[in-house]
Amino acid sequence: MKGGSHMQALHQSLVTGHRSLLAALMAAALAGCGVDTATTAATGASIKKQEMEEGKRTQERAQQKIDQMQEQMQQRAQQGREASDK
């Protein structure tokens, strides 16, 4: 029976080794997924930041155009008043 128990011990050792290897591989795979997820999140955040900055610049340009138009309207109104006063 000594040979049988020796074989069982060897089998148990191999099974434990395989489980350890499998656990290590799964941990590495999950860690890789975490890195991918973090990279994807960082990339997404960077894109959103760029979009927000571009939106802010567009809004500023639009506000400048509105201000210019209001100034032109005021100048024209003033010119109209001056013309009617003559």
Side-chain angles (χ1 to χ4, degrees):
M1 278 297 255
K2 281 188 177 180
S5 67
H6 179 66
M7 290 298 285
Q8 285 178 337
L10 179 59
H11 176 72
Q12 185 62 33
S13 176
L14 287 174
V15 169
T16 302
H18 283 251
R19 285 184 185 158
S20 296
L21 178 61
L22 180 60
L25 290 174
M26 288 178 66
L30 290 175
C33 288
V35 170
D36 288 345
T37 301
T39 301
T40 300
T43 301
S46 177
I47 290 169
K48 287 293 181 190
K49 181 180 177 187
Q50 290 174 355
E51 289 174 350
M52 288 180 63
E53 289 171 351
E54 182 60 33
K56 193 173 188 178
R57 286 190 292 268
T58 300
Q59 183 179 7
E60 288 170 356
R61 285 191 299 267
Q63 187 61 49
Q64 288 174 351
K65 287 182 180 181
I66 291 169
D67 293 344
Q68 288 173 351
M69 290 174 66
Q70 286 178 333
E71 187 175 329
Q72 288 175 357
M73 288 174 59
Q74 289 173 350
Q75 289 174 355
R76 288 180 184 151
Q78 182 65 31
Q79 290 171 352
R81 283 191 294 273
E82 291 172 358
S84 67
D85 288 344
K86 289 184 183 181

